[in-house]
Amino acid sequence: MTINLPPLSAIRAFEAASRHLSFTKAGDELGLTQAAVSYQIKLLEEKLGFAVFERKTRKIDLTQKGALLAEGVVEAFSRLRQTFQDVQDADASELVVSSNTTFAVNWLASRMFSFQMQNPDIAVRLVSYGPWEKPKFDQADVTISACYPPPKGNLFIPLIAADFTPLVAPQLAESIGGINTPADLLKLPIIDPDDPWWRTWFSAAGLPDADLTKWPTSRMGSQALEANRAIAGQGVAILTPYFCRQALQQGQLIQPFDLVCAANDESWALSYPPRNKNSRKVRLFQDWVVSELGRDGLHCPEAVLIGQDD
Amino acid sequence: MTINLPPLSAIRAFEAASRHLSFTKAGDELGLTQAAVSYQIKLLEEKLGFAVFERKTRKIDLTQKGALLAEGVVEAFSRLRQTFQDVQDADASELVVSSNTTFAVNWLASRMFSFQMQNPDIAVRLVSYGPWEKPKFDQADVTISACYPPPKGNLFIPLIAADFTPLVAPQLAESIGGINTPADLLKLPIIDPDDPWWRTWFSAAGLPDADLTKWPTSRMGSQALEANRAIAGQGVAILTPYFCRQALQQGQLIQPFDLVCAANDESWALSYPPRNKNSRKVRLFQDWVVSELGRDGLHCPEAVLIGQDD
DNA sequence: ATCTATGCATAAGGGAAATTTATGCATGAC
DNA sequence: GTCATGCATAAATTTCCCTTATGCATAGAT
């Protein structure tokens, strides 16, 4: 099955030289000197044991065997180039974005249209993952994640601080005569009481021992679903205010306390493997995300290299 | 026309890895370590901007794009291998021998059959060149020449000293009452009087001023033709005794004088370009020539490298 | 005929890139 | 839990590829 080929650089030089019938022109095409091509051809002839070019003065011709070789070699390289071209074209035209559901629903979904209008040559495929899945950093061109640090070596841009505070529908707050102290919250149904954010927030609010066990476990899996239940008046949820701007502005939800906690490691961030550093589609997407955030008054730091693995 | 391909060594590693779905096995096939393949694949992915393999535990799979690439790349390499295989097979099975006419007629012709019997897989093409042509060292696998030194770098085996002495048909010698002194030769027609060998020989025989101009110029071009004329009694020729062994043994020719001159640079020799150093067919031919000469009691020195150009 | 420009060959030297060695890590099998 | 397998990674080394600087031959021009 496996015949030993001569050195591939020699074959490549031969391929170009056989098309141009000139070492000098072949060198130009390959970005090499004439001497380099001459060297490679000689090497090839050495390996093969026969001449592939006849050296005339100021021109070269393929020998008979050289011509036979050239035919197959040129075709093989043509096939190679075509293959890479095709796949690279396909790659350039499809952007796979992996995002956790929260970000996808609260942020991406409503804005993606603008990206697609700006970049009609790029097809976007959005792959979201739930809160119990790990982001598939390696299967997407770019990933938006929280909680999980990207693999070492990835490029990383913090987007949005994952801060949180209880939010509640105004009618529900009224139903207990208004919410004045953190303890008042415990009079209401707690949406997703297992979310560790609750414990963090109650501790910061001076109630480290708040009993959160009396409500049934029901992790929703995304802030979008929790927010919907809160808006529907089914309970009080712990949410990131930025994602609920609209509901807050429109009065569907209110924020009873100024106390907003921030998760340390759990900011939303955009990241991608280093091989995409120069990828056009990834750059376009990153720039678009950053500019969208800018329109909300949020400014993102530069991309940094992740130095440590999880 | 010319798309930049990723590094060819990376493509080669990918080709093997995509067939084996294993870096380790690909390394084995290519004669590399697993680490080298891993490195090359990573390099390729870096250049392309997307992954070609999905790393699972203890196995790898092609990604979607990787699979597209693999198809074309494997085919292209298959084409390359086939091409080189075919041409190398063709090369191995045809031996082109360039020889001057003298050696071809006097020596090769009658013996070539034995070589072909010993090596039925090798087709021999004999290209002879006349005395006024230069040997085409570069167009033959192996060249047998005299007078012209092979190009620098060629391998070179002296075969037969080009010595010479006048030979004549016995009847012709009788016709002038026998040949007793070198001057007697001048009473007979001189075949090919322009051959510089005559001047050399007459000088050595004490007649540096022998007048050779009275016979018409007629360079025959090969000892075979001159020998035939001598045998036919048309004159006296200056010939290499080794090539006329048969005629001398059978009494068709006689050698009037023991004086045999040797040409310095003009021995017959076998030579070939250095790229054929390890060529099977050339080695077989060289060994056969040497052994044939050995049967005539002649022993050849080792091959030497030509250090100076003509 | 002489001169010039063009194109390939060659030698020496430098340097980038490929490869190896020596690890580490994850996981599937026992 | 332990071992074996297979890929990843870092550092060091080596290979060999390429360039620079020449030489040489000759076709074409004057």
Side-chain angles (χ1 to χ4, degrees), chain B residues 101-122:
Chain B
T101 309
T102 296
F103 192 85
V105 172
N106 283 306
W107 200 95
L108 279 178
S110 57
R111 307 174 193 242
M112 196 62 97
F113 183 69
S114 115
F115 178 76
Q116 293 178 314
M117 288 298 288
Q118 282 176 35
N119 302 284
D121 60 318
I122 299 178

Side-chain angles (χ1 to χ4, degrees), chain A residues 1-2 24 40 53 56 63 70 72 119 127-128 154 170 219 222 236 244 291:
Chain A
M1 168 91 204
T2 304
T24 307
Q40 292 292 342
F53 286 109
K56 319 252 181 102
T63 62
N119 303 284
V127 180
S128 66
N154 271 28
R219 298 221 58 176
S222 92
V236 55
C244 301
S291 94

